[in-house]
Amino acid sequence: MTFTRDKKMHAVYISLGNISKGVHHKHNAHAWLLLVKVPISKFSQTTFPGSKTAQESIPGILGQQLFHKCMKRVLEPLRVDQRRYYIVPSPDGLSRCCMAILMAWIANLKEQLLIAGVQSFSCPVCLATYEQLEEHECLGVCRGEMILIALKEVHCNFPSASVYEFQQEVKKLGLGLSSSFEEPCWEGLGIEPYVFIKQDILHGIHKFIWDRLSEWLKKMLGVQEMDSRFIVQPPISTNRFTRGISKLSQITGQEHHAFQKAILPIIAGHDRVDNKVTNAMLSLLDLAYLVQYPSLSESDMHKMEEALSTFHGNKAVFVDNGSQEPSHFRIPKLHGLHHFVDDVVSGGTPGNFSTKTLESLHIDMCKDPYCALNRHEYDEQILNYLDMHDHLAMCQAYESYRQRKKSHVSAF
Ligand SMILES: [Zn+2]
């Protein structure tokens, strides 16, 4: 997230898997804590040695190394050799013996690639390369052990290699690794990246549908026709696109839902829209609704797979009508749709893994405190601000508990 132009960081939040979904989704329910702020440096003041390519690559490599070194330290208590049992008081009055493990890491695609340590325009789950992204079947999984062996082998063969030379040597292996760090932060956690990296509904489905379908609609219907069709739609919910959508670059969560509800009425009856276009768009919308189900049965998962097959069976129509460039369905987010079904098996419904709530936490836990302070040594000030607000919230909760108890006693 960005505070101002030159002040950026990765904000990492933590929560517990046994808190119910309804509570997780309320950003004011205190179900999430700001765990760490990982700095992002551009090394703008540093001149690096080597060729021009090396000089351009090194800031990016060091940025990735910084992220993994910071997160390795943060995740240390979760490592298999560091795990401990804690006696935790339970709401039912009993004490329970608990051990913390990493179950899921929710992030957008760019961050997923950084965590897994694979190249851009590839899949962080199954290591599909850019050329393989058009495959609509899972190509295997990204085995952490395989990555660790490859990195250690290069380190042993080239012990004195610079960060840039190390990256070049790993790239020569052709495994699709970004090769920017020697020790991934998830090493020793006892869980594979393909298990803990979960697909995110907000970026993986809603933003994908917005980006692609709005682009296809623009090219199929024409900008003016598309906008006028959105403008004349009756209000389905509180959100209406009264000025069309062509000038919108980003939309809110509610607008994503309103957009998806309006797509079929928008395309209905247009000369360039045939059954294939309708089926392709409908299947993506079906998938978007299915992944939001509060619970999913095997038959629902089968429907998700069917929706994807229908889309892939009809997608060529967008190339035929000129909406999509030929042979250009190598879209990482389109490929990632297949992994939603895998995530249901390993971690429950995709609704558990959305960054929608986390996006609003950025405002409460980072941007608002930053704006409220004098921005001098802002890291420490933000932590003090959050501590103070946590104490006030606890005090408020205790006071309302006391009031409830008092009124309960006086009622008898
Ligand atoms: Zn994949």
Side-chain angles (χ1 to χ4, degrees):
M1 64 152 290
T2 309
F3 283 133
T4 52
R5 295 184 294 176
D6 59 334
K7 289 176 184 144
K8 292 182 178 180
M9 64 168 191
H10 294 285
V12 183
Y13 303 94
I14 189 172
S15 186
L16 295 173
N18 56 355
I19 295 175
S20 71
K21 202 181 297 183
V23 178
H24 260 153
H25 288 177
K26 288 180 191 160
H27 77 275
N28 56 354
H30 300 283
W32 294 90
L33 288 175
L34 178 63
L35 178 67
V36 62
K37 295 185 292 175
V38 180
I40 299 175
S41 180
K42 292 179 183 169
F43 301 97
S44 53
Q45 306 296 318
T46 316
T47 310
F48 296 102
S51 63
K52 200 181 169 197
T53 325
Q55 285 176 14
E56 283 169 2
S57 305
I58 290 172
I61 298 172
L62 292 179
Q64 294 191 31
Q65 287 194 351
L66 180 66
F67 175 81
H68 276 268
K69 276 195 189 297
C70 292
M71 287 311 297
K72 195 171 180 99
R73 213 166 149 182
V74 170
L75 295 170
E76 204 168 315
L78 305 183
R79 286 170 60 102
V80 175
D81 54 356
Q82 300 286 326
R83 279 182 197 161
R84 285 176 48 197
Y85 285 100
Y86 297 89
I87 304 297
V88 179
S90 170
D92 58 11
L94 298 172
S95 291
R96 301 192 184 268
C97 196
C98 296
M99 186 172 67
I101 56 164
L102 178 67
M103 186 199 160
W105 197 332
I106 315 168
N108 63 30
L109 181 66
K110 197 177 164 193
E111 291 158 350
Q112 288 175 359
L113 293 166
L114 170 62
I115 295 163
V118 295
Q119 289 174 358
S120 307
F121 297 104
S122 58
C123 175
V125 177
C126 68
L127 286 189
T129 58
Y130 177 68
E131 288 72 29
Q132 294 168 323
L133 284 178
E134 234 176 316
E135 304 289 330
H136 43 88
E137 279 173 8
C138 186
L139 300 167
V141 286
C142 169
R143 293 276 172 206
E145 204 180 331
M146 183 198 83
I147 296 175
L148 292 173
I149 290 171
L151 295 177
K152 282 195 173 107
E153 196 181 301
V154 175
H155 181 69
C156 288
N157 293 338
F158 305 93
S160 54
S162 67
V163 286
Y164 179 70
E165 287 162 353
F166 182 83
Q167 189 198 45
Q168 296 308 305
E169 290 304 325
V170 181
K171 270 188 180 172
K172 283 179 194 166
L173 298 176
L175 296 172
L177 304 177
S178 68
S179 343
S180 299
F181 45 85
E182 294 179 27
E183 295 177 0
C185 60
W186 37 262
E187 184 181 5
L189 294 178
I191 181 167
E192 297 278 354
Y194 76 89
V195 179
F196 68 70
I197 291 178
K198 302 292 182 197
Q199 301 303 308
D200 158 33
I201 290 186
L202 178 65
H203 293 90
I205 290 267
H206 294 316
K207 289 198 173 173
F208 167 73
I209 288 183
W210 165 255
D211 291 343
R212 288 292 145 189
L213 268 61
S214 61
E215 202 56 40
W216 292 336
L217 287 174
K218 225 179 262 179
K219 288 184 177 158
M220 257 189 313
L221 313 183
V223 175
Q224 218 174 357
E225 175 71 11
M226 178 186 73
D227 277 345
S228 55
R229 285 187 175 223
F230 270 100
I231 291 165
V232 297
Q233 290 303 308
I236 301 171
S237 57
T238 49
N239 291 96
R240 260 187 91 187
F241 300 100
T242 48
R243 292 181 184 178
I245 62 161
S246 61
K247 290 194 172 67
L248 298 175
S249 55
Q250 274 194 326
I251 57 173
T252 63
Q254 286 188 341
E255 284 170 334
H256 278 297
H257 298 306
F259 172 72
Q260 289 166 18
K261 283 176 189 168
I263 287 172
L264 288 182
I266 295 295
I267 59 171
H270 193 274
D271 296 342
R272 297 189 68 194
V273 174
D274 58 15
N275 282 348
K276 285 189 171 180
V277 173
T278 311
N279 285 339
M281 290 198 170
L282 183 59
S283 57
L284 280 182
L285 295 174
D286 280 345
L287 182 71
Y289 293 127
L290 281 161
V291 297
Q292 294 174 77
Y293 276 15
S295 64
L296 285 162
S297 63
E298 274 193 29
S299 95
D300 295 328
M301 286 161 67
H302 185 61
K303 282 179 195 165
M304 286 166 73
E305 281 168 348
E306 266 183 357
L308 274 172
S309 310
T310 310
F311 174 76
H312 287 293
N314 291 283
K315 68 183 179 185
V317 70
F318 297 114
V319 176
D320 296 342
N321 65 21
S323 312
Q324 181 73 29
E325 284 177 42
S327 313
H328 226 288
F329 277 103
R330 291 170 188 166
I331 305 164
K333 284 186 182 175
L334 175 59
H335 168 90
L337 296 178
H338 297 276
H339 294 306
F340 274 100
V341 183
D342 308 326
D343 284 355
V344 177
V345 178
S346 65
T349 54
N352 293 321
F353 311 111
S354 174
T355 51
K356 194 176 166 188
T357 314
L358 304 180
E359 294 280 330
S360 61
L361 286 177
H362 282 339
I363 298 168
D364 288 356
M365 294 198 180
C366 299
K367 286 188 177 169
D368 279 355
Y370 180 78
C371 294
L373 303 166
N374 66 8
R375 300 170 197 189
H376 175 65
E377 292 183 356
Y378 59 93
D379 285 331
E380 203 174 323
Q381 286 195 22
I382 289 175
L383 292 178
N384 289 336
Y385 178 99
L386 293 175
D387 271 350
M388 200 170 67
H389 278 255
D390 275 349
H391 285 119
L392 285 171
M394 278 193 280
C395 180
Q396 211 170 11
Y398 179 65
E399 276 304 317
S400 61
Y401 163 77
R402 269 183 56 191
Q403 291 300 329
R404 279 202 311 274
K405 207 172 171 187
K406 212 187 274 180
S407 59
H408 181 72
V409 170
S410 60
F412 289 97

